[in-house]
Structure formats: C-alpha cells, structure tokens
Amino acid sequence: MSKETEKQRWQRNFADLLQELRVAQTGVQILFAFLLTLPFSNGFTQTSEFQRDVYVVALLAAAAATAMIISPVAFHRALFRQGRKPELVRFAHRMATGGLAFMLIAMVSAVLLITDFVLDRPIAFVLSAVTGLWFLTFWMFLPFARRSWGDDDIDDDDDDPETLTRG
C-alpha cells in the first residue's frame, strides 16, 4: 500500500469536511425552515415579548449557521483549480466550527422558545440548559476527551487542518 501524497491528503481532508458539512447542513436547514414558517402560524400572535426576542435570536443564529456551513462551497468555487486546497481546507474547518457554534445557539434558542411557550419559564430555562449541555457533550466534550484516549487510529492525526498547518 502506497503512502498518500500531501496533495492527496488535502483532497481527502476536503472531501471529509464536505461530507461532515452535508450532515450539519441538513439539520440547520430543517430548523431554519421551521423558524421561517413559525411567525405565520396562528399561535405566534400569542407569544410574549421575551419569546419573540428568543425567536429572533434562534432565527438569526440559524441563518448564520446556514451561511457558515454552506460557505466552503462558495469559497471552493472562487478558488477552483488554483491549487489552494490547503487554504480551502483550513477555511472550511473554521467555517464548520463556527457554523456548529451558531447551530448550537439556534437549537437551544428554539428549545427555549417552544418550552417557554408551553411550560413555566423556570422549567423552560432548565430544559434549555440541559439541551445545551447535551449538545456540548456530544459535539465538544466527548470528541475532545477522545483526543487523549490514545493513538488507536494514527491517520486521524492527519485529518486535523490545524495539525496540517503546523506540520
């Protein structure tokens, strides 16, 4: 088995990032679509000022997540065939990370909006905090904890765009 070249590694890293972004994009687009239709539903007129503020935060965070998660496609179009795959991979990595952060804000805000509408506010805050911790557990705490568990798959070290720039 031959070792991959640096160019092949960058290409593989970009393909892996795009696949990850496809998964995230689906989730954020569904949430964004839901939020876009919400003000046109009958019950929305019964929302409090607080709920409308939370709605705006959720909507804007979902829009920001959508923009960041889709941005590597536009960046790729602008840099197509210029041999700048390392720059593209680093950019896509940063946009994916930022997009996930905005997606977290959108998800927790949406949970807060809905739970505040149907439950007492203190319960809504608790459920929203638990939701935020749940997402952080699976999106941040466990993945970063996994980094120190050992060297099971040595190839994973090559997939981190930040490591590639240092090496």
Side-chain angles (χ1 to χ4, degrees), residues 56-77:
V56 169
V57 169
L59 181 70
L60 294 176
T66 301
M68 292 183 86
I69 288 170
I70 295 173
S71 69
V73 174
F75 203 84
H76 181 260
R77 286 293 93 213

Side-chain angles (χ1 to χ4, degrees), residues 17 68 71-76 79 85-97 161:
L17 270 167
M68 292 183 86
S71 69
V73 174
F75 203 84
H76 181 260
L79 297 182
K85 194 68 73 175
E87 182 181 352
L88 178 59
V89 170
R90 286 189 292 272
F91 174 82
H93 170 70
R94 288 184 190 102
M95 293 300 103
T97 302

Side-chain angles (χ1 to χ4, degrees), residues 8-120:
Q8 289 169 327
R9 186 174 61 234
W10 283 111
Q11 184 60 40
R12 179 178 49 83
N13 287 333
F14 185 63
D16 288 349
L17 270 167
L18 285 182
Q19 188 59 33
E20 293 168 10
L21 291 171
R22 283 184 190 105
V23 172
Q25 179 183 2
T26 301
V28 77
Q29 284 178 323
I30 290 168
L31 177 60
F32 194 43
F34 162 74
L35 290 169
L36 287 173
T37 62
L38 197 57
F40 302 103
S41 65
N42 290 336
F44 197 77
T45 57
Q46 299 169 1
T47 56
S48 68
E49 185 177 340
F50 172 77
Q51 291 164 344
R52 286 188 296 275
D53 291 345
V54 171
Y55 168 78
V56 169
V57 169
L59 181 70
L60 294 176
T66 301
M68 292 183 86
I69 288 170
I70 295 173
S71 69
V73 174
F75 203 84
H76 181 260
R77 286 293 93 213
L79 297 182
F80 187 65
R81 295 190 179 221
Q82 291 189 4
R84 295 167 65 184
K85 194 68 73 175
E87 182 181 352
L88 178 59
V89 170
R90 286 189 292 272
F91 174 82
H93 170 70
R94 288 184 190 102
M95 293 300 103
T97 302
L100 287 173
F102 277 113
M103 192 169 173
L104 172 67
I105 293 166
M107 292 288 204
V108 172
S109 298
V111 168
L112 179 57
L113 172 64
I114 302 303
T115 56
D116 189 67
F117 189 77
V118 298
L119 302 169
D120 291 332

Side-chain angles (χ1 to χ4, degrees), residues 1-9 12 154-155 158:
M1 189 162 130
S2 64
K3 184 151 173 68
E4 71 182 347
T5 66
E6 185 176 347
K7 184 177 180 179
Q8 289 169 327
R9 186 174 61 234
R12 179 178 49 83
I154 211 78
D155 286 343
D158 293 338

